[in-house]
Amino acid sequence: MQTETSSVRLDVWLWRARFFKTRALSARACESGHIRLERFGRVTRIEKASASVRPGDRLIFAIGTRLFDIIVQDAGERRGPATEAQSLYRQASAAADTDTNASN
């Protein structure tokens, strides 16, 4: 497990988390300007594959017809099996549901 302050390039993280089959496809998606990064309540449109992502960041992007709204849990160290990749993030909508239920 890496420290809270660890960061990694967005294209590398998307590839490690298995959203894209190759790093080149991941970089192309980053450069398309269709990925949104929310950090400390500020939303930024990503236009460079070299943008950094760190634990706690929220990413919103679409692949085909599927919309992903996720929160980065860990930067990761490698592109491992699917179970390892899924531990790098969690669904943001599930986190919002948990927060709503916890306040009741």
Side-chain angles (χ1 to χ4, degrees), residues 10-65:
L10 179 58
D11 63 332
V12 172
W13 187 88
L14 290 168
W15 174 70
R16 285 179 183 169
R18 294 184 167 267
F19 286 103
F20 295 95
K21 194 170 192 171
T22 66
R23 189 163 162 210
L25 289 173
S26 176
R28 192 175 312 144
C30 293
E31 293 168 356
S32 71
H34 296 261
I35 297 178
R36 303 291 186 264
L37 169 71
E38 182 179 338
R39 182 181 292 155
F40 304 122
R42 183 174 179 204
V43 178
T44 307
R45 183 173 65 164
I46 301 299
E47 294 179 341
K48 292 186 175 185
S50 62
S52 67
V53 66
R54 51 181 86 124
D57 289 350
R58 182 177 182 178
L59 296 172
I60 303 167
F61 59 96
I63 300 175
T65 59

